Amino acid sequence: MKIAALVSGGVDSSVVVHQLKEQGYDPTIFYIRIGMEDEQGYIDCPAEEDIEITTYIAKKYGCKMEVVSLHEEYWENVVSYTIDAVKRGLTPNPDMMCNKMIKFGCFEQKWGHEFDKIATGHYATTTELNGKTWLSTAKDHVKDQTYFLGQIDYLQVSKLMFPIGDLLKSEVRAIAAQQGLPSAQRKDSQGICFLGKINYNDFIRRYLGEHKGKIVELETGNVLGKHDGYWFHTIGQRRGLGLSGGPWFVIKKDTKRNIVYVSNGYDPETQYGKVVNLAGFSFITEDIWGDFEGRKDISFKIRHTPEFTHGYVEKIGDLYRIHSDEKIQGIAAGQFGVVYDADSKLCIGSGMIANEE
């Protein structure tokens, strides 16, 4: 079986190669460059060190390696999407788009189609049920990354392999240390990769500029301060507001009047909701519900967290409405809600949050 292993130089993808070799496979290693060079300045990940480590892994395990570029595709599918969403006052998810459109989209079209499987270092698993492949959660619930895979489709999930999905993070690091891999103690990457070492606000400022506006207390209407543009703030944000007497949380944004509304306290009633509307819902493996009346018990996430929230879903036209069993914080339009079965094992699909309850 021909396997393409996507290796970034981090500990997780490095151990993927070891696991595949242990299982008797001889993967071809691919390092994907996704930084972007444009007329306004250079944006890149610290790729040279990553490539050096990946090259070492390839030599250690006797694997063929290719460094491929998806600069332009990443800009068109991920960076532009992020800028547009922020400009509209939404909360984007670049990592989710990168998985769907780049790693398992453009890469597949250019190189992956020559292989039987694509292996990655995601903390996820697949489950075979009734002859079909389902995306399912990892052994390590803290590191589980199925949320970021919630937008992939059946053709993609049926071709994926997750060699470390049945391992704890501690076990992955132990294997890396035992094998003397240079990434064994390397810290996990944080943030959005295309930014490299550039500050997120500096990146947004480069493309959207600044536009002074008011910070207003939601309950009283009092003006508490000023901001440089609503696009620098996200729903649920606590830090970076520059207000005293907090904690203050961003509750909503008025994009037409450039106002950011905040509320004081750790858990005021205004921060929470129990209803999440999902538009454009897409099933990963198949539509397991069809046209139904009543409710379907589910678990779900509206962001990448170790915990699942339980509730039920109902269908209203083309809209799927989630009713949560408990109040949840920071429901943000533009973000994705990812739905799982009631046992939090199988990932069913996802839709974009269409409200800010």
Side-chain angles (χ1 to χ4, degrees), residues 167-195:
L167 298 174
L168 299 175
K169 180 73 178 195
S170 57
E171 294 173 319
V172 170
R173 288 210 180 272
I175 291 172
Q178 292 166 4
Q179 297 302 313
L181 304 185
S183 56
Q185 300 303 321
R186 204 177 189 199
K187 292 183 179 180
D188 293 342
S189 60
Q190 301 290 330
I192 305 169
C193 185
F194 68 76
L195 294 183

Side-chain angles (χ1 to χ4, degrees), residues 214-224 261-262:
K214 299 175 182 178
I215 299 177
V216 175
E217 185 173 15
L218 183 68
E219 294 85 351
T220 66
N222 293 333
V223 177
L224 305 178
Y261 289 95
V262 299

Side-chain angles (χ1 to χ4, degrees), residues 26-284:
D26 186 26
T28 297
I29 293 174
F30 285 88
Y31 178 89
I32 303 175
R33 298 187 74 121
I34 56 173
M36 184 65 202
E37 187 173 357
D38 75 337
E39 70 280 1
Q40 299 190 52
Y42 186 62
I43 304 171
D44 196 12
C45 295
E48 299 311 316
E49 182 181 354
D50 295 338
I51 292 174
E52 183 178 345
I53 291 176
T54 304
T55 301
Y56 174 89
I57 298 295
K59 290 181 178 179
K60 176 180 176 64
Y61 291 102
C63 299
K64 179 183 176 182
M65 174 184 163
E66 290 188 45
V67 178
V68 298
S69 174
L70 288 172
H71 286 280
E72 294 183 4
E73 292 84 353
Y74 194 81
W75 177 267
E76 293 171 359
N77 291 282
V78 181
V79 184
S80 293
Y81 146 80
T82 301
I83 294 171
D84 178 67
V86 171
K87 187 176 182 179
R88 292 163 56 199
L90 305 177
T91 300
N93 194 316
D95 295 315
M96 190 175 280
M97 287 298 102
C98 181
N99 286 325
K100 177 179 177 63
M101 306 301 295
I102 303 301
K103 292 179 180 177
F104 312 135
C106 295
F107 175 81
E108 166 68 19
Q109 295 163 14
K110 289 195 170 188
W111 300 282
H113 65 274
E114 299 178 359
F115 295 84
D116 301 306
K117 292 285 185 178
I118 297 175
T120 79
H122 286 98
Y123 283 88
T125 59
T126 56
T127 300
E128 299 296 323
L129 287 176
N130 300 321
K132 293 189 175 182
T133 304
W134 294 79
L135 176 66
S136 45
T137 51
K139 176 182 177 180
D140 192 328
H141 289 174
V142 174
K143 300 300 295 185
D144 181 83
Q145 292 174 300
T146 51
Y147 178 83
F148 294 120
L149 298 167
Q151 274 281 295
I152 64 176
D153 60 32
Y154 184 69
L155 290 178
Q156 292 170 327
V157 73
S158 61
K159 190 169 180 174
L160 292 177
M161 294 179 69
F162 304 113
I164 64 169
D166 58 352
L167 298 174
L168 299 175
K169 180 73 178 195
S170 57
E171 294 173 319
V172 170
R173 288 210 180 272
I175 291 172
Q178 292 166 4
Q179 297 302 313
L181 304 185
S183 56
Q185 300 303 321
R186 204 177 189 199
K187 292 183 179 180
D188 293 342
S189 60
Q190 301 290 330
I192 305 169
C193 185
F194 68 76
L195 294 183
K197 297 181 180 179
I198 297 176
N199 177 272
Y200 176 76
N201 282 347
D202 291 340
F203 168 77
I204 295 299
R205 186 176 291 108
R206 174 183 295 172
Y207 293 97
L208 299 181
E210 293 185 358
H211 183 78
K212 296 290 184 180
K214 299 175 182 178
I215 299 177
V216 175
E217 185 173 15
L218 183 68
E219 294 85 351
T220 66
N222 293 333
V223 177
L224 305 178
K226 293 183 178 181
H227 60 80
D228 293 329
Y230 64 81
W231 42 80
F232 292 110
H233 302 284
T234 57
I235 303 301
Q237 175 184 336
R238 175 179 175 181
R239 298 180 180 178
L241 291 169
L243 301 177
S244 60
W248 295 94
F249 293 85
V250 175
I251 305 302
K252 70 176 185 177
K253 297 176 286 186
D254 185 330
T255 59
K256 292 183 178 179
R257 296 193 295 164
N258 193 28
I259 296 175
V260 172
Y261 289 95
V262 299
S263 188
N264 189 303
Y266 182 72
D267 58 350
E269 191 76 12
T270 50
Q271 282 189 60
Y272 289 77
K274 296 186 73 172
V275 176
V276 182
N277 292 323
L278 300 182
F281 193 91
S282 59
F283 292 88
I284 296 177

Side-chain angles (χ1 to χ4, degrees), residues 288-299 311-314 342:
I288 61 171
W289 298 327
D291 292 325
F292 69 93
E293 295 181 0
R295 47 185 278 179
K296 299 288 185 181
D297 291 335
I298 60 164
S299 59
Y312 68 90
V313 65
E314 61 177 347

